[in-house]
Amino acid sequence: MKIGKLSVVLMTLALFMGVNSVQAATDTAAGSKEPIKIGVYLPLTGQNAFGGQLELEGVRLAHQEMPEVLGRPVELVVVDNKSDKVEAANAVKRLIERDKVCAFIGTYGSSLAMAGAEIGEKAAVPGVGTSCTNPLVTQGKKYYFRACFIDPYQGLAAATYAKENLGMKKAAVLMDMTNDYAVGLSSFFTRAFKKLGGEVVANLKYSSGDQDFTAQLTELIAKNPDIVFMPAYFAEGAIIMKQAKELGAKFRLMGADAMDNPDTVKLGGNAVEGFMHTTFPYDPQMPNMSAEAKRFTEAWKKAYPNKDTNVNGALGYNCYFLILDAIKRANSAEPKAIAKALAETVELPTALGKLSINETHDAEMPVGIIEYKDGKRVYVGEVTPK
């Protein structure tokens, strides 16, 4: 049978198109396996390294559990922000411009988060803060979110617990005047305690890195408050507790989430007895643990058998799943699509309970209370601010 020239041309063209269609499909499939890059900027050295390291371990644990999304591998790009505001801004800049991440996690520390958030906002790349509770972190931001509650809510919860649950009538405040987190939280506690009918008899200050708090503690003892609220970071908080005990202080000390660390008892010794602090609603020993909290706790023990976790590990863990949930719902790894899906998060089951993102991009969840009794940290329950 003879085949005309036109038929040959058509057959050749069909074959060519078929080969190219297969090649296009192959190229698309290969492209779909390109990694989805998620940045992580946390304080792995410097003053806040203890919190940053725990959060990074939580992120990595979540990544081990779910290393892929949309059929593509997830690549974590980790940068140390060195507990420094300038380094935090530079870290986010590198993640976006050099590493081309589609979203980023971090950071521990409100001052560090504010610096990083500005860079992410300008580049229209979404970030999810781990434990940065100052309201300014997300204020006016379209692309920055957080997996934690904010300080006005935490301060009100601390004041409510001190006044209503403990029956404290007179309070004082001891704060780091160089730290945005401490300044903001002290203000919210003071305002709330007064509104609840309490009296604030002193508001004393110190600076990050101070080692001697004798003068402030002596003045506080003279003022005779029932309770002293000190939203300190862990290192300074332990020193304050020890020096207060040495001076014979009778008031109770109360901190906030920055004091939540597995080594509090080791560093503070018997000075931690009776100390309490607000925290996020998770503890490895908490009663009535949810299925998600149990999964995280068991996974942590298996991955890090020689290291205790705390809420920072759980927050890092949550941030990773929060971003992956947004990517899945958006069916896209494009930054703007991820940001839109993050803003629409409602009652996502997490290790810290069901998490929703509100209109100011903050997480809504209860406030937990830790108290140190007989040398042990005890999760005593949750408080609803009044």
Side-chain angles (χ1 to χ4, degrees), residues 280-334:
F280 299 95
Y282 170 80
D283 185 80
Q285 307 300 324
M286 69 189 297
N288 305 317
M289 192 177 279
S290 69
E292 289 76 23
K294 285 180 182 176
R295 189 184 78 194
F296 164 72
T297 305
E298 290 167 3
W300 182 281
K301 288 178 180 177
K302 185 176 180 181
Y304 313 112
N306 299 316
K307 186 170 186 176
D308 293 334
T309 189
N310 76 334
V311 73
N312 293 112
L315 283 164
Y317 185 82
N318 276 7
C319 282
Y320 181 83
F321 285 121
L322 189 59
I323 290 175
L324 259 65
D325 174 70
I327 291 173
K328 285 193 288 186
R329 285 187 288 107
N331 195 32
S332 172
E334 290 300 314

Side-chain angles (χ1 to χ4, degrees), residues 79-267:
V79 181
D80 179 10
N81 67 39
K82 302 179 183 179
S83 303
D84 180 83
K85 295 178 187 179
V86 175
E87 286 289 344
N90 289 337
V92 174
K93 189 177 179 67
R94 286 197 298 274
L95 287 171
I96 293 171
E97 295 182 359
R98 181 191 67 188
D99 300 305
K100 310 298 182 185
V101 301
C102 65
F104 58 95
I105 295 170
T107 176
Y108 181 98
S110 293
S111 298
L112 306 175
M114 281 186 253
E118 290 296 332
I119 304 301
E121 190 72 11
K122 289 176 184 176
V125 174
V128 179
T130 45
S131 53
C132 41
T133 52
N134 189 299
L136 294 176
V137 170
T138 55
Q139 185 173 300
K141 301 290 189 300
K142 292 181 179 180
Y143 292 93
Y144 210 74
F145 305 80
R146 67 180 118 206
C148 57
F149 49 60
I150 59 175
D151 285 336
Y153 191 76
Q154 181 176 198
L156 181 53
T160 298
Y161 193 79
K163 183 69 173 59
E164 303 298 323
N165 295 65
L166 301 178
M168 303 298 188
K169 296 179 180 178
K170 293 199 299 181
V173 171
L174 178 60
M175 72 168 183
D176 178 354
M177 64 181 177
T178 64
N179 186 278
D180 296 323
Y181 163 83
V183 172
L185 196 45
S186 296
S187 174
F188 300 128
F189 173 88
T190 300
R191 203 178 310 160
F193 195 78
K194 288 179 178 178
K195 191 173 181 180
L196 290 167
E199 180 185 2
V200 178
V201 298
N203 194 325
L204 302 183
K205 302 174 178 64
Y206 66 90
S207 297
S208 294
D210 286 355
Q211 298 291 306
D212 185 1
F213 303 92
T214 304
Q216 294 96 325
L217 290 168
T218 300
E219 185 173 345
L220 287 171
I221 290 170
K223 296 286 186 179
N224 197 32
D226 300 315
I227 191 166
V228 173
F229 182 65
M230 56 154 201
Y233 280 95
F234 177 70
E236 283 138 0
I239 298 171
I240 291 169
M241 286 190 282
K242 283 186 173 181
Q243 292 181 4
K245 183 175 176 61
E246 289 168 0
L247 291 170
K250 303 298 181 186
F251 52 72
R252 294 193 72 173
L253 280 164
M254 185 178 196
D257 62 290
M259 284 297 299
D260 194 344
N261 188 283
D263 291 333
T264 297
V265 176
K266 292 179 185 177
L267 291 185

